[in-house]
Amino acid sequence: TQLLEQSPQFLSIQEGENLTVYCNSSSVFSSLQWYRQEPGEGPVLLVTVVTGGEVKKLKRLTFQFGDARKDSSLHITAAQPGDTGLYLCAGPYFGNEKLTFGTGTRLTIIP
Amino acid sequence: DAGVTQSPTHLIKTRGQQVTLRCSPKSGHDTVSWYQQALGQGPQFIFQYYEEEERQRGNFPDRFSGHQFPNYSSELNVNALLLGDSALYLCASSTRTGSPYEQYFGPGTRLTVT
């Protein structure tokens, strides 16, 4: 069974703090996407990483793809209330085009 | 540029009934995927349509079926509804000429089965 595990499952921190969310699997990804979902809405694509070891930055968000393409992390610097939401990693495994989603990290930033 | 649209927004059905959900993909996209998202969980892949054919299917029973039209829009049909089918149903579109794994989601249809 292919499984994408995210940690932590829940995270509540004060505004201005830094945080890291992890996405791990025992299988290899051909690419990996990170999405953010707000209540009552569909997931919104944040970034796609393709190359092992790749690092991408989106303002205060830094995404890293593991060298072996089995894991990824999302680091947020100086978190703001607008960062609140459900963060989902997702990826297609090699040889399979369907997108498998992680278990999600629900992030709450306290003003 | 219109994004992915879905209808209806909310739906309440009774056990045993049938339901049809609709999706229009983002302009320029030719592939539609459907997902089921239970409360507090990540989306689960149902199936994907491209060129009016089902190309990939997740672990969902035959009660779940779909269709894609020549204009790339799509429908998801669920027969003999069960209480456990209550969820947010998400449609996502993508294009095979770009990155097929970068999917753009609609706002979803919230289905409640009573």
Side-chain angles (χ1 to χ4, degrees):
Chain A
T1 301
Q2 298 167 341
L3 184 65
L4 271 170
E5 293 187 354
Q6 289 184 239
S7 61
Q9 186 177 357
F10 297 96
L11 185 58
S12 182
I13 64 171
Q14 295 288 335
E15 180 177 0
E17 295 183 350
N18 302 332
L19 66 107
T20 302
V21 173
Y22 300 92
C23 174
N24 293 286
S25 176
S26 58
S27 300
V28 177
F29 303 105
S30 56
S31 67
L32 189 135
Q33 290 77 45
W34 283 91
Y35 293 83
R36 180 171 64 212
Q37 184 178 23
E38 299 189 22
E41 300 181 9
V44 175
L45 179 65
L46 297 175
V47 77
T48 296
V49 287
V50 179
T51 307
E54 182 177 4
V55 176
K56 280 192 174 180
K57 291 191 175 183
L58 184 66
K59 296 184 180 178
R60 293 176 295 100
L61 279 61
T62 301
F63 304 85
Q64 185 163 7
F65 201 11
D67 291 340
R69 301 196 202 197
K70 292 183 177 181
D71 57 270
S72 180
S73 64
L74 159 60
H75 182 77
I76 301 179
T77 303
Q80 298 178 1
D83 296 327
T84 293
L86 178 67
Y87 287 80
L88 296 160
C89 63
Y93 291 91
F94 277 111
N96 190 335
E97 286 189 12
K98 73 176 186 180
L99 206 59
T100 298
F101 276 83
T103 48
T105 293
R106 188 162 298 281
L107 175 64
T108 302
I109 308 301
I110 304 167
Chain B
D1 178 22
V4 179
T5 60
Q6 292 187 243
S7 63
T9 305
H10 295 86
L11 203 52
I12 299 175
K13 289 287 189 178
T14 304
R15 270 183 306 176
Q17 287 188 317
Q18 177 265 344
V19 67
T20 297
L21 310 181
R22 295 176 176 82
C23 170
S24 290
K26 181 179 169 66
S27 178
H29 285 185
D30 54 13
T31 302
V32 173
S33 302
W34 287 93
Y35 294 83
Q36 179 194 68
Q37 186 175 26
L39 202 61
Q41 298 182 18
Q44 297 291 315
F45 177 79
I46 303 175
F47 42 53
Q48 182 184 80
Y49 277 84
Y50 172 65
E51 291 185 333
E52 301 179 48
E53 291 190 12
E54 184 181 295
R55 300 293 179 170
Q56 292 264 334
R57 190 177 181 94
N59 295 324
F60 281 80
D62 292 344
R63 298 187 296 109
F64 290 77
S65 63
H67 189 78
Q68 185 180 33
F69 300 93
N71 67 353
Y72 308 120
S73 67
S74 177
E75 288 182 349
L76 163 66
N77 301 292
V78 186
N79 295 321
L81 284 167
L82 304 174
L83 295 179
D85 294 331
S86 294
L88 181 67
Y89 287 85
L90 295 163
C91 167
S93 73
S94 55
T95 173
R96 297 231 163 215
T97 58
S99 170
Y101 312 121
E102 289 190 346
Q103 300 190 359
Y104 293 82
F105 285 81
T109 294
R110 172 71 64 186
L111 172 65
T112 302
V113 182
T114 61

